[in-house]
Amino acid sequence: MRPFLLLAAFALISPLAVGAAPLTGDQAALHVLNRLAYGPRPGDIEKLRQVGVQAYMEEQLNPPPLPPALAQRLDQLETLKWSAGEALARFQEARGMEQGARREVVAQMASEAAEARLLRAIESPRQLEEVMVDFWYNHFNVFAGKGQDRALVASYERDAIRPYVFGSFRQMLGATARHPAMLFYLDNWVSKAGGLNENYARELMELHTLGVDGGYTQKDVTELARMLTGWTYAPRRDAQFVFDPRRHDNGAKTWLGKPVTVRGVAEGEYALDVLAAHPATARHISRKLAQYFVADTPPPALVERMAQTWSASNGDIRSVLRTLFASQEFMDQQYAGAKFKTPYQYVVSASRAAAVPMTEAKPLAGILARLGMPLYGCQTPDGYKNTESAWLNPDGLARRISYALTLAPGADAATLQQALGAGISRRTADIVADSNERLRAAMLLGSPDFMQK
């Protein structure tokens, strides 16, 4: 059998099921590294075992500064320092250039945004921060392929997502609502009295807060859109958020069963206050977090406890995560290996496990595109899914295996297997041991064990 076909057949073997019991020792360490981080690098399991699972979790929730070498490398990415206004100005200037020069400017923005994201995900010790950036960016998704957002996604992630991943949900909700990337993507920047656009209002309730079953009506969507008229930005004045009273619908409004008693820009702020504190929001986002960190069908009792913490802490994300990570469900053996990696998680975890230095982002960005998950490339506002049903298919497995074969020559199979520890089952280890030595690293990275986390 050809090596590629051998690996493809191997990857279709389902990992062994395990019974329900608390995780301990190396299994607990590996599970935490697979969920709070993008999997282990060589030596990580041993280090975590030495410091202890609880200490590691707390450190990840309150991470230290970036290592100087990583910070210096990120500092070399010039476009990442641009404000939203500067990036947009450069983008608009490029539109007047000849085609080759214009393409170069746009390509530099995209390349440096991808390099920063992937470099942090692979190299940063602040792993949970990177995991949460992935979660929250998808939750508040903005598509980089839409017009001005080609220039704005880098500042959006930097200014509206990263500062809040462990903090106040209300603050993050406000930061995303006011950022020009979101205002442009969901068209609220052109919404006005007499020319209403409901896109953002609908997704604000359906996706960002209450959820599809959150108890609102189509009339509530329309009323919220009216409340948010005038929320726009000035493309030629540093792309900052502005409230334009001339575009605002000043008529009386009733929203979620109550009359709106404030006026002007305060109407939008009132709506964000209500949505952030709503019990439906607490349940909706708690379920999404539990699905992301525990299982595709999360335990209802865990979701309820997280929602209670959400309400008690006024949407403090760090507090909700502490409830999640301290739960019996999170450390239950039945959920170890129960999540199928998204393409992003697979590519990043493979790079970490194989200890392959990230010299440039372009090849990784390319494989992510081929796997159907280009960075900043989800066109729909619901973001990329993180469930097995979204990503487990023969074509996707074949492409992952192709990447494993590409990555393997730079990896030592013995070091890789040691790095993955209990993540490689006896059955997989036996199959790998009986295979051609040149294929062993690729078989580990293409194994059903490694596809799961």
Side-chain angles (χ1 to χ4, degrees):
M1 183 178 286
R2 293 172 58 191
F4 183 83
L5 296 177
L6 173 65
L7 281 164
F10 179 47
L12 290 171
I13 301 171
S14 297
L16 291 172
V18 294
L23 292 163
T24 58
D26 284 3
Q27 286 186 330
L30 178 67
H31 178 67
V32 169
L33 286 167
N34 276 332
R35 300 300 174 88
L36 274 72
Y38 287 112
R41 305 186 82 180
D44 277 359
I45 294 176
E46 174 63 26
K47 291 176 184 176
L48 193 151
R49 191 170 62 235
Q50 290 175 1
V51 302
V53 165
Q54 298 305 320
Y56 177 81
M57 288 180 173
E58 194 58 34
E59 180 185 80
Q60 289 298 307
L61 285 166
N62 296 277
L66 288 175
L70 177 57
Q72 289 170 9
R73 185 168 171 186
L74 290 167
D75 191 55
Q76 294 171 3
L77 303 175
E78 290 298 323
T79 65
L80 269 294
K81 302 173 188 176
W82 294 351
S83 68
E86 185 175 4
L88 190 56
R90 299 286 185 97
F91 176 74
Q92 291 173 332
E93 288 169 7
R95 296 175 68 180
M97 300 177 181
E98 61 94 18
Q99 188 174 2
R102 180 170 69 247
R103 187 182 297 116
E104 185 175 340
V105 171
V106 175
Q108 183 186 4
M109 291 182 180
S111 174
E112 293 194 354
E115 182 171 351
R117 169 74 86 88
L118 289 165
L119 185 61
R120 286 175 179 269
I122 294 169
E123 303 286 347
S124 175
R126 301 165 63 110
Q127 280 288 287
L128 181 58
E129 179 179 66
E130 296 311 305
V131 168
M132 293 307 296
V133 167
D134 176 56
F135 175 86
W136 286 118
Y137 192 99
N138 279 303
H139 184 76
F140 292 108
N141 183 57
V142 165
F143 174 47
K146 180 178 179 179
Q148 295 179 14
D149 278 330
R150 294 179 184 275
L152 294 171
V153 293
S155 70
Y156 177 68
E157 180 180 299
R158 182 194 64 215
D159 299 332
I161 301 294
R162 283 190 175 276
Y164 308 104
V165 295
F166 296 131
S168 162
F169 177 77
R170 171 61 180 87
Q171 289 181 0
M172 187 189 299
L173 187 66
T176 58
R178 287 170 167 262
H179 197 281
M182 181 65 76
L183 290 164
F184 181 84
Y185 174 54
L186 291 179
D187 306 308
N188 204 81
W189 75 303
V190 295
S191 187
K192 60 182 179 180
L196 202 62
N197 189 298
E198 297 183 354
N199 288 352
Y200 177 60
R202 178 176 293 103
E203 308 306 353
L204 178 58
M205 289 197 285
E206 179 178 324
L207 298 177
H208 300 170
T209 57
L210 303 178
V212 67
D213 299 321
Y216 59 90
T217 66
Q218 173 56 41
K219 183 177 184 298
D220 290 320
V221 172
T222 301
E223 293 293 86
L224 179 57
R226 293 176 62 212
M227 294 163 72
L228 290 166
T229 49
W231 281 52
T232 186
Y233 67 100
R236 301 186 184 280
R237 288 187 296 168
D238 205 31
Q240 294 297 306
F241 168 83
V242 295
F243 175 73
D244 187 346
R246 297 167 302 176
R247 303 172 69 89
H248 185 65
D249 183 333
N250 289 299
K253 306 172 186 75
T254 299
W255 177 64
L256 295 180
K258 295 182 179 180
V260 178
T261 58
V262 293
R263 289 291 180 267
V265 68
E267 293 178 37
E269 296 293 346
Y270 163 75
L272 297 179
D273 288 342
V274 170
L275 292 171
H278 201 286
T281 299
R283 289 190 298 272
H284 174 57
I285 301 180
S286 292
R287 188 185 187 282
K288 284 191 69 173
L289 284 165
Q291 182 186 72
Y292 189 93
F293 282 100
V294 179
D296 289 359
T297 303
L302 172 60
V303 173
E304 182 57 31
R305 293 198 304 276
M306 292 169 63
Q308 290 173 1
T309 299
W310 181 289
S311 297
S313 66
N314 295 316
D316 180 70
I317 298 165
R318 186 179 280 107
S319 296
V320 176
L321 289 174
R322 281 201 176 100
T323 296
L324 169 59
F325 299 148
S327 70
Q328 178 182 347
E329 292 91 341
F330 178 72
M331 295 301 291
D332 195 319
Q333 191 174 6
Q334 69 175 310
Y335 298 121
K339 291 287 295 181
F340 187 76
K341 292 177 182 177
T342 68
Y344 181 74
Q345 291 163 349
Y346 176 75
V347 169
V348 173
S349 64
S351 298
R352 285 175 58 80
V356 176
M358 200 198 92
T359 54
E360 57 177 323
K362 188 175 181 179
L364 296 182
I367 185 61
L368 285 170
R370 291 193 294 276
L371 289 171
M373 197 177 186
L375 275 175
Y376 312 110
C378 183
Q379 298 185 33
T380 55
D382 53 347
Y384 290 122
K385 303 294 188 295
N386 67 81
T387 57
E388 181 177 292
S389 61
W391 300 111
L392 179 55
N393 58 75
D395 182 64
L397 286 174
R399 292 177 185 272
R400 291 185 189 210
I401 291 165
S402 178
Y403 177 64
L405 286 164
T406 301
L407 193 62
D412 177 76
T415 301
L416 173 60
Q417 188 164 340
Q418 186 176 27
L420 298 175
I424 299 300
S425 67
R426 174 62 62 85
R427 178 177 58 170
T428 296
D430 289 345
I431 295 172
V432 170
D434 289 340
S435 69
N436 186 301
E437 186 174 350
R438 292 183 296 106
L439 282 177
R440 288 176 185 170
M443 293 192 75
L444 288 166
L445 294 173
S447 70
D449 299 334
F450 192 73
M451 300 286 183
Q452 307 287 136
K453 71 183 187 77

